[in-house]
Amino acid sequence: MAQEQTGRILIVESDRALQSKLEAQLSAIGHIVETAPDSAAALEHLEGSMPDVVLLALDPERMGGFDFLREARALLPAASFIAMAETGSTDTAVKALACGADRLLTRPVRPDALALIVERSLDKPLHARDAMEARAGAAATLPTIALMDRVVGVHPSMQRLFNRLLQAAKSRSTVLIQGETGTGKELIAKAIHEHSLRSEGPLVRLNCAALAESVLESELFGHEKGAFTGAVTRRKGRFEQADGGTLFLDELSEMPLSVQIKLLRFLQERELERVGGNETVSVNVRVVAATNRDLKSLVEDGKFREDLYFRLKVVVLEVPPLRARPSDIPLLADHFLRLYADENDKQVQGFTHDAKEALVAYPWPGNVRELQHAIEQAVVLCEKELIDTEDLPIEPPDREAEPLSLLVPGVTLAEVERYTIMKTLEAVGGSPTKAAAILGISKRTIHYRLEEWGLAKTKPEDTC
Ligand SMILES: Nc1ncnc2c1ncn2[C@@H]1O[C@H](COP(=O)(O)OP(=O)(O)OP(=O)(O)O)[C@@H](O)[C@H]1O
Ligand SMILES: [Mg+2]
């Protein structure tokens, strides 16, 4: 059967073998699957991972499943609930429907029936999710979400990210932060910790690329006295150090496969064993991981465990590259200007219009970090009140090469829109009225876009 839609599915099943079978069947057709052995564990998952479909094995011997259905239904009104019951257990089936199940599956579950029923159950939640995201997009023009005062971001893509971050922060779900180098992944990880209920606890960071395989394992999980030459005392690992708080695993893609399996085990069981020890240690840690590499292709190359990838994929925060959020560039530039002007006791007040235009036009391959360094350098060297284009350590855009950046496929519609508006404005001497007439759009749209890109010279005089 062709897989039409991808959804987040939570399987609640105490029988390990059945659980793995269902998980494998649903993952194989592209769904993101999480599992929980019982209702209590499932409730913990719900808020953070917000599944679209919950597949619940009902055990008439243990009535917890029905209470769970009622509670979960109230928590996630848009999700679909599929109850699985033994063939012939009519009472269980009727009660499940009364408690809020949307559909019933009788056991044994055939893989094609499972795929079909999950597919059909996705319509309602995916529709609700789209509507919610559309509302979040529309709300972006309303007062912006502020995330600590250090994280700048007003572009709708960042506002959506902040929104998701605040939701995820309240749960214990593992969060994966993905984004190009310098986009702010570490800052986002700190924000998750600071906005979580465990903000009073420790935030412990470990860069997985910085340590050799053998050292990394004992650094993470700790070791017992005598576990290896040099282990003269028992030592707590980063997991134990982060107890009650957050463990930030940076550059996760560099974690060796042998350590990945131990991490997976911890994420499943919330328990660990120190290197060289048999004692099982339970710790209460939320794991936040970051990577600037595409984990999916690493999975395909056999360098990253697929099961770990699926587990991490449940709550992903994708930090967009700076070039995809041009309205943030002038704000970040002002933010760093104030920071470095204060730090260096300089009287620099701001940027000339041309300098701002150059900053917005530059593609920033090193993202926010590159912008930060550029502004630091400009502030330190500037002797005037305003930073001008020549004070900026960036290459002006190569006008001859511009059409190349519009090779299709390869550009986003937003880039095409921007290129077309700027070129038309240039051709008509900068008149928004004439450009709007040629482009068949309103003058207001042009003003709005110019503002979004930080290029508006004055406030639009008419915004009808
Ligand atoms: N939205 C933002 N607002 C303010 N400062 C930011 C923002 N994003 C990033 N920065 C700053 O840019 C610099 C780089 O950010 P960070 O170290 O978090 O990036 P990263 O994605 O972890 O990079 P890498 O992949 O290279 O590790 C930091 O100094 C950070 O404070
Ligand atoms: Mg980083």
Side-chain angles (χ1 to χ4, degrees):
M1 196 191 70
Q3 172 59 31
E4 305 273 331
Q5 329 188 74
T6 296
R8 290 182 287 228
I9 322 284
L10 174 66
I11 301 172
V12 190
E13 166 65 271
S14 55
D15 182 319
R16 279 277 174 132
L18 285 174
Q19 185 193 87
S20 310
K21 211 162 148 190
L22 291 168
E23 186 179 6
Q25 285 167 4
L26 290 171
S27 311
I29 51 173
H31 296 299
I32 301 160
V33 186
E34 269 213 308
T35 57
D38 53 39
S39 310
L43 275 176
E44 255 194 53
H45 275 283
L46 284 187
E47 258 179 86
S49 57
M50 293 203 300
D52 303 309
V53 175
V54 178
L55 195 59
L56 169 73
L58 283 176
D59 178 358
E61 303 292 308
R62 294 206 321 241
M63 288 297 147
F66 297 111
D67 293 337
F68 166 77
L69 258 178
R70 263 192 231 101
E71 253 181 272
R73 173 91 277 168
L75 269 174
L76 295 179
S80 287
F81 290 82
I82 307 174
M84 292 179 293
E86 294 305 320
T87 316
S89 50
T90 323
D91 286 354
T92 314
V94 170
K95 191 154 182 214
L97 290 174
C99 292
D102 297 288
R103 290 163 197 267
L104 280 169
L105 264 175
T106 46
R107 301 200 109 136
V109 179
R110 285 192 6 230
D112 52 348
L114 176 72
L116 189 71
I117 211 157
V118 166
E119 170 77 31
R120 291 202 177 145
S121 302
L122 276 172
D123 285 343
K124 180 176 82 161
L126 291 189
H127 188 257
R129 207 203 294 172
D130 284 352
M132 199 179 85
E133 284 182 359
R135 274 202 303 280
T141 49
L142 297 172
T144 47
I145 303 174
L147 210 62
M148 313 188 296
D149 49 2
R150 289 175 282 132
V151 193
V152 176
V154 293
H155 190 268
S157 62
M158 289 303 275
Q159 287 289 299
R160 274 197 297 278
L161 172 79
F162 294 172
N163 205 351
R164 267 175 72 76
L165 182 152
L166 292 175
Q167 283 176 16
K170 302 287 172 238
S171 75
R172 198 171 80 172
S173 292
T174 307
V175 180
L176 176 65
I177 307 169
Q178 286 187 313
E180 288 179 15
T181 179
T183 44
K185 296 183 293 298
E186 184 160 351
L187 206 57
I188 292 293
K190 287 183 184 150
I192 295 175
H193 177 72
E194 286 181 27
H195 287 275
S196 74
L197 301 174
R198 45 187 69 228
S199 58
E200 300 291 310
L203 168 65
V204 176
R205 173 178 180 267
L206 182 70
N207 183 342
C208 302
L211 299 171
E213 184 166 347
S214 54
V215 187
L216 180 63
E217 186 177 342
S218 82
E219 196 57 46
L220 271 174
F221 299 99
H223 60 73
E224 296 292 343
K225 184 177 172 183
F228 46 82
T229 328
V232 283
T233 51
R234 164 194 275 188
R235 186 163 182 274
K236 282 187 177 179
R238 303 279 172 117
F239 271 105
E240 284 182 83
Q241 289 167 21
D243 200 6
T246 308
L247 177 63
F248 173 44
L249 297 176
D250 206 359
E251 305 210 33
L252 180 79
S253 56
E254 307 311 305
M255 178 179 274
L257 289 163
S258 64
V259 186
Q260 287 177 26
I261 183 136
K262 294 197 85 175
L263 170 62
L264 177 67
R265 197 190 139 219
F266 173 81
L267 294 178
Q268 280 165 344
E269 325 263 331
R270 303 270 157 200
E271 287 172 352
L272 55 95
E273 274 137 34
R274 300 188 192 99
V275 175
N278 302 319
E279 189 195 338
T280 303
V281 185
S282 289
V283 284
N284 172 10
V285 170
R286 122 84 69 81
V287 174
V288 175
T291 178
N292 56 22
R293 299 189 58 190
D294 178 24
L295 287 187
K296 192 160 180 248
S297 53
L298 292 178
V299 168
E300 279 154 20
D301 295 345
K303 297 200 174 97
F304 201 84
R305 291 184 65 96
E306 190 173 27
D307 43 12
L308 178 57
Y309 171 61
F310 279 126
R311 181 148 274 270
L312 293 168
K313 230 176 91 169
V314 178
V315 184
V316 177
L317 297 180
E318 193 75 51
V319 194
L322 191 52
R323 62 184 172 282
R325 41 179 162 125
S327 50
D328 283 349
I329 297 175
L331 294 178
L332 280 160
D334 284 335
H335 169 78
F336 292 129
L337 179 127
R338 278 194 304 276
L339 183 80
Y340 291 113
D342 284 352
E343 213 174 281
N344 296 286
D345 224 0
K346 301 281 286 199
Q347 296 307 311
V348 191
Q349 301 296 323
F351 299 89
T352 63
H353 181 266
D354 284 354
K356 276 219 162 148
E357 204 170 302
L359 287 171
V360 177
Y362 184 70
W364 299 108
N367 292 296
V368 185
R369 183 180 293 110
E370 187 185 0
L371 173 66
Q372 179 174 6
H373 291 161
I375 306 299
E376 180 178 13
Q377 187 176 331
V379 168
V380 170
L381 299 178
C382 183
E383 299 296 344
K384 301 162 287 183
E385 274 208 345
L386 295 180
I387 292 177
D388 206 350
T389 322
E390 68 264 14
D391 303 318
L392 296 169
I394 53 173
E395 290 288 313
D398 182 351
R399 297 216 165 257
E400 288 300 301
E402 253 178 48
L404 282 181
S405 66
L406 280 182
L407 277 181
V408 180
V411 284
T412 63
L413 258 187
E415 282 164 341
V416 174
E417 184 193 31
R418 181 174 170 156
Y419 177 81
T420 313
I421 291 179
M422 294 312 287
K423 274 284 173 203
T424 311
L425 277 170
E426 201 180 296
V428 296
S431 159
T433 310
K434 288 183 190 161
I438 294 172
L439 291 166
I441 56 176
S442 71
K443 206 163 90 175
R444 185 181 164 212
T445 304
I446 295 190
H447 282 301
Y448 178 76
R449 290 284 177 261
L450 290 175
E451 269 199 9
E452 192 185 31
W453 302 327
L455 298 176
K457 285 192 183 161
T458 50
K459 283 243 164 261
E461 63 292 357
D462 62 336
T463 49
C464 52

